[in-house]
Amino acid sequence: MKKYFLLNIGLMLFLIFIHISTAKASVLEDSIKPLTKINKQFLVVVHIVKDSNSIGISESYINAVMANINQIFKPIEASFTVCEFKYIDNYQYSYLAHDHPIDKREQELTPMFRLTNRINMFFIKEPDKIEKKTCGYASLGGIAGYGNVVIKKNCADASTIAHELGHFFGLSHTFEKSVPELANGSNCKTAGDGFCDTPADPYDPAKKTSEYIDETSCVYISNVKDANGDLYYPDVSNVMSYYTSCVCLKFTHEQYNYMANYYNSHLGTW
């Protein structure tokens, strides 16, 4: 009887060991992998287009904002240092009509002044003189060796510049609509921005941000529903959203990895 009791105890201990080992393996498999690192200090050339009677933004202010940007990009060891301030005297370039077929000033501006192997940021008075809703824009994936970042002077804060650098490193908006993302995230890999750790975002650029968020408290207030009739609950602090006016800015794990991998796959361009 004692022998069988000991055998049963032994079997139980063996099963417990197997259970613990399986659980540990499951935890390891489910854990988030370490972020890919860039490990690079990027040199930024700031081009300030003078207004008709003023500069409109100071070098010290831009440097202070870039220090905040460096904290946002720190998880992937990417930093940005302004190596040169250049001033453009032709104030006609301070008003652009981005994506407007008639206005050729942007096509003239960037090739004329852009420096190679640098991130070129152009600070102007109005990036979109037609609708006047744009705080900035950047070439999608511009870090691959082409394109620029254009910033409106009176909204040149960390939110705007980090957002445009996100585009520059290949990120889309959280509200990307090529395929609408469902609120439950079931189609997250093939819809929206393609990331599963950024909640679905119903934002429509044709509408006012205040229709989606209380801009004082940063509380999401919209009753917009998805194709299933479910309410959305976007991340109002995500850098690539349009809700970041009063919150701490952040990228997600997948967004960080994408930016790092995108740059590392284009090392030959720098």
Side-chain angles (χ1 to χ4, degrees):
M1 191 73 176
K2 187 175 182 180
K3 181 193 293 186
Y4 290 114
F5 177 76
L6 291 174
L7 285 173
N8 287 336
I9 291 294
L11 180 60
M12 289 175 63
L13 291 173
F14 176 74
L15 291 174
I16 291 171
F17 173 77
I18 293 295
H19 175 75
I20 293 173
S21 298
T22 304
K24 285 184 177 179
S26 177
V27 169
L28 289 173
E29 289 168 3
D30 293 342
S31 62
I32 298 175
K33 295 180 180 179
L35 284 170
T36 303
K37 307 293 185 181
I38 289 179
N39 296 316
K40 183 176 177 67
Q41 179 187 54
F42 293 95
L43 297 180
V44 178
V45 177
V46 168
H47 306 266
I48 299 176
V49 180
K50 293 181 180 179
D51 301 338
S52 57
N53 56 5
S54 69
I55 293 173
I57 194 168
S58 71
E59 295 182 7
S60 59
Y61 175 81
I62 293 173
N63 280 327
V65 172
M66 295 309 296
N68 291 331
I69 298 295
N70 288 340
Q71 291 303 309
I72 298 170
F73 280 81
K74 187 175 178 61
I76 53 175
E77 299 297 337
S79 64
F80 306 89
T81 299
V82 179
C83 64
E84 186 176 5
F85 286 92
K86 299 176 76 68
Y87 290 87
I88 299 173
D89 290 325
N90 188 343
Y91 65 82
Q92 296 299 325
Y93 289 124
S94 203
Y95 294 85
L96 302 180
H98 181 50
D99 287 339
H100 195 275
I102 297 176
D103 196 328
K104 302 295 183 183
R105 279 176 286 189
E106 182 186 359
Q107 290 90 329
E108 296 174 2
L109 175 66
T110 55
M112 191 182 304
F113 297 100
R114 181 173 57 207
L115 276 67
T116 59
N117 295 333
R118 300 286 186 272
I119 294 178
N120 291 265
M121 285 190 185
F122 292 84
F123 289 80
I124 68 175
K125 189 166 186 176
E126 188 58 67
D128 188 346
K129 69 175 183 178
I130 297 174
E131 295 187 5
K132 296 185 178 180
K133 293 181 179 179
T134 303
C135 267
Y137 59 88
S139 308
L140 185 64
I143 197 65
Y146 59 89
N148 310 286
V149 178
V150 177
I151 303 293
K152 185 175 181 175
K153 291 177 185 177
N154 70 359
C155 52
D157 55 16
S159 175
T160 297
I161 295 177
H163 182 98
E164 300 310 332
L165 283 173
H167 287 315
F168 202 65
F169 281 80
L171 296 183
S172 299
H173 291 125
T174 54
F175 52 86
E176 196 70 25
K177 290 294 191 301
S178 53
V179 178
E181 187 175 354
L182 298 172
N184 63 16
S186 58
N187 62 341
C188 61
K189 291 184 179 180
T190 57
D193 62 2
F195 300 117
C196 289
D197 62 354
T198 59
D201 184 354
Y203 182 77
D204 182 349
K207 297 181 179 181
K208 295 180 179 179
T209 307
S210 58
E211 294 181 42
Y212 295 90
I213 188 173
D214 182 324
E215 295 179 328
T216 301
S217 63
C218 277
V219 173
Y220 182 74
I221 59 174
S222 175
N223 290 319
V224 174
K225 296 181 179 179
D226 69 1
N228 293 332
D230 295 328
L231 289 168
Y232 287 93
Y233 189 65
D235 181 359
V236 299
S237 64
N238 193 282
V239 173
M240 301 313 296
S241 75
Y242 269 16
Y243 309 125
T244 54
S245 60
C246 57
V247 294
C248 294
L249 302 171
K250 66 181 182 182
F251 290 111
T252 65
H253 192 90
E254 290 184 34
Q255 287 175 317
Y256 275 126
N257 260 338
Y258 185 90
M259 289 190 288
N261 287 323
Y262 188 89
Y263 171 71
N264 288 333
S265 67
H266 292 88
L267 288 175
T269 61
W270 285 74

